[in-house]
Structures are given as structure tokens and as C-alpha cells.
Amino acid sequence: RVSAMVALSALTALVLPASALAYSAPVGARAAPRGVQASKVRMATVASPVGEMPDLDGALPDCPPTLWDADGIDIAAEQARYREEGLPACPLEIVATPEENAQGAAYFSDNADRLRGLLRDHGTLWFRGFDLMKNEQGFRAFYDAVGLNPCLDPIHTSGLRAFASAKDAVYEEVNKQSLSQHYIGLHNEATKKKTATYGAFVCFQPASVKGGEFFIADGAAIFRDLDTEVLKKLYDSKVRISVSNLDFNFLGALGPLKDGAMDFFKGLVASVIAPKFDMDLEMIYGADGNPYRLQAIEGRQSPVTRHPETGRPVWFCNVHNHARYLRDRRPCTVPEVGMTDVYSGDLGALDARDLQHINAVSEKNIARCAMRPGDVLLVDNYRVLHGRDVFEGDRYHAVSWFDGWKGDGKSVVTDGGKPGNVLNKMINTLIR
């Protein structure tokens, strides 16, 4: 009976922390006052400015595979090139005139080519003052008019976020009250295996009390500003990201049965639960020094890659959010089972001084975006990292992911598979 309970706990544990992969709390963040009661988030109620469009529920293609191109990068030379040439503003703000706002979706279809070029140059476009995107249907009309192809989130089945409007391919962003006091550090929406090419983040309702600002950072700027020796060390050694901790400390008391029991639980988690996340996870005991802690760890990956369109190197690593050292220095209520970490490619610990430096450079390049209803941040997900501050009150932001542009003929979706919504819906029913 005890073994069955432990097995159930292990299976449940690997599911639940995935919903908190990206969440931790910032230094100096204050907990919400005990007297504040959060009501259910209001959904957008602006009348739909567009006609009905085809239902996308169950029809989205899978997130495309990550396009790695990380070999042979001359770190020092590329940093010097960025410093010499400079980088354009990120984000670039595009504020609607009354005439442009009145055009609705036609403004975006008429200017699609120009906007695509600006996105390539700047990495993020911040659309402000457009009434079109104040509800889910109008937001879909926006991305359809620009010419983007929607796809699933790279870890769709994990329950990271529920659909706000499945028929419009719009996911709810991290608005849950249970996660309101968790700071989400900088990260690309990516795993070693899958990466969305672009993302569009929309504000339907900012936090009703305070906080919850969305923020971004240009991965090209972070690459440029990191100390060359620190960056070369990480680039040469690569990194490995742990996404969950499962503690089986009781196994130490099993004597001669210990090794067999450890193998049993490792195999159980690896064969039953891990495949649902489609992340090529390796189950490893003791990576952080606890011999009975089983961690789910991604394979070796470069913290830098060449952008798939421009060919320029960018910082493409979630260490600012996932590193345990940084999380432990922020107020954080994530349970141990949900704690992430980042190791060097040989599973050694990253130097604390290097992590402090990465943190400082990352935060220096953060652009905080106080979004209003209808605002959209269109992000190049290979170049630009994103995050979110803690908040109080009701908040309703959403996001759609894209595998590329319509008519490009460059689709990188190869298997045509569409992960189901069963686990996604189950997890989001449990996590409020």
C-alpha cells in the first residue's frame, strides 16, 4: 500500500510542477495582503469587431522543432560586431492614430510586409491604441491579418496554461491567483526539442490592484553585454536544464532492496509520465548532491544559437528563470518538487559568480511594458525573452504561438501530430 501511494505521488508530482516551470518570485516582492480577496478574472466583453472565423480547436499543428545552429560561433568577434553596429530599439512601439485605429484588421493586412520587416529588425513590436485587439476574436483577426500561422505551445500537454479561446488558438497567460505572487524570469518559450517561432502577447485586462507588468529582453543585447569569458565558458560546456525534483529519501532505509527500488521508480516515471511532456527528459538521481532526488533533466544544449532568419547569434537560454541559485534568492513559494535548475553540460554546478553576472546583464536589458487593454507585443521568440512580474487583483492577459508566416513554404512541422488536450484540461482544472 505504501509503495502504491509513493508511486501515485511520483506520477502526480511530475505532472504538477510542469505547470510552474516558469514561475518564481522577485527579490523584494511583497506577498498579497491577507485581506485581499481575488475574484474570478473577467473575460473580455468588448463587442466582436469581426465576423466568425473557422474553429481552430483541435486543428492546430504541433509546435515546430527547435532550429539549432550553434556550432563554430566566434563569441568575441560577434560581440564586437554588435557593439560596432549597434542594435535597434526593442520593443519598437507602434501607436495607432485615430485613422489607423478606425481601419481595424485592414491596417494590419495592408501593412503586413512592412510590419514583418520591422519585427525582423527590432525583435518585438508593441502595438498600442488599437481597439481591434480588445477581445479574443479581434486579437485573432489581428494575427490573421498580419499573416501568422498559429501552433500549439511547445509544452502544450503539461498544463502550463489553459486555452482562453481554443477556437481562436488563444492561450490564457499566467493569470492564476495561485501564481500571482510568483515572478516569472526571462525565458524563451522553448525546450531543447520544440520552439515557437513567434508569439503575440495581448492584454485584455491589466492587474486590477497593481503589478503584473509584462517584460522582455533582447537576446542579442544580452549576448553582446555578457562577459566574453563567462559566455565562452558556458558556450563550450553547454547547459542542462532540470525541470522537476522527486525526493525518494525513504529508499535509503531499504538496505539491499534500495538499488532495485530506485531503478523501479526511475523507470516508472520515465516510461509513464515523462513522455507526455515530449521534452526528451533523462531521469537522473543525485545531480544536485541529494542521492535520492530524482530529477527530470533535458539533454545538453547551447546557451547561444544563430537566429534562424538573420544568422546572427543570440542568447537563447532560460537560466535567468530556471537557475536554482537565482530562485533561492527571490521570495519563492514553489514546492521542492517544482523547483528547476540549470547545470553545466557535464551536470556540474554553475559558478555562483557567473549566475550573478548573467542575472545583472539580463535585468539591465529588461524593458518593462505596462500594457493596457488591446495592447499587443508581437515577439520574435528566438531572439527575445519574456517574463512577468508579481501582481495583485484580477489580471487577464493571453498569448498565441506561431510556427511562421502564411504562404512562406518554410513550415518546419514534420510529423503533423497534434498532442491532445486531456492532460492540459485536467491540470488547469486542478490549478486555479
Side-chain angles (χ1 to χ4, degrees), residues 27 30 52 74 83 98 116 118 200 267 350 362 406:
V27 175
R30 294 182 296 173
E52 287 298 317
D74 187 331
R83 292 175 186 133
R116 179 173 176 176
L118 290 173
L350 297 181
S362 297
K406 295 179 184 177

Side-chain angles (χ1 to χ4, degrees), residues 126-142:
W126 184 0
F127 296 101
R128 310 181 69 179
F130 289 92
D131 291 333
L132 175 69
M133 294 90 85
K134 286 187 175 180
N135 68 11
E136 296 91 341
Q137 294 72 38
F139 175 58
R140 177 178 174 182
F142 150 77

Side-chain angles (χ1 to χ4, degrees), residues 68 191-193 238-242 279-282 284 296-302 343-345 347:
W68 289 105
T191 69
K192 182 186 178 184
K193 187 174 181 179
K238 306 297 185 284
V239 298
R240 296 191 69 176
I241 297 176
S242 170
M279 292 175 65
D280 287 342
L281 298 171
E282 182 181 4
I284 300 176
I297 304 179
E298 289 191 277
R300 294 175 77 246
Q301 56 192 276
S302 175
Y343 299 103
S344 65
L347 289 179

Side-chain angles (χ1 to χ4, degrees), residues 96-104 107 130:
T97 66
E99 294 76 19
E100 290 168 339
N101 183 39
Q103 293 177 46
Y107 168 83
F130 289 92

Side-chain angles (χ1 to χ4, degrees), residues 126-170:
W126 184 0
F127 296 101
R128 310 181 69 179
F130 289 92
D131 291 333
L132 175 69
M133 294 90 85
K134 286 187 175 180
N135 68 11
E136 296 91 341
Q137 294 72 38
F139 175 58
R140 177 178 174 182
F142 150 77
Y143 75 66
D144 186 73
V146 171
L148 287 160
N149 282 322
C151 68
L152 293 175
D153 184 283
I155 48 176
H156 171 79
T157 56
S158 73
L160 175 62
R161 52 175 69 90
F163 274 119
S165 177
K167 69 183 182 67
D168 297 307
V170 180

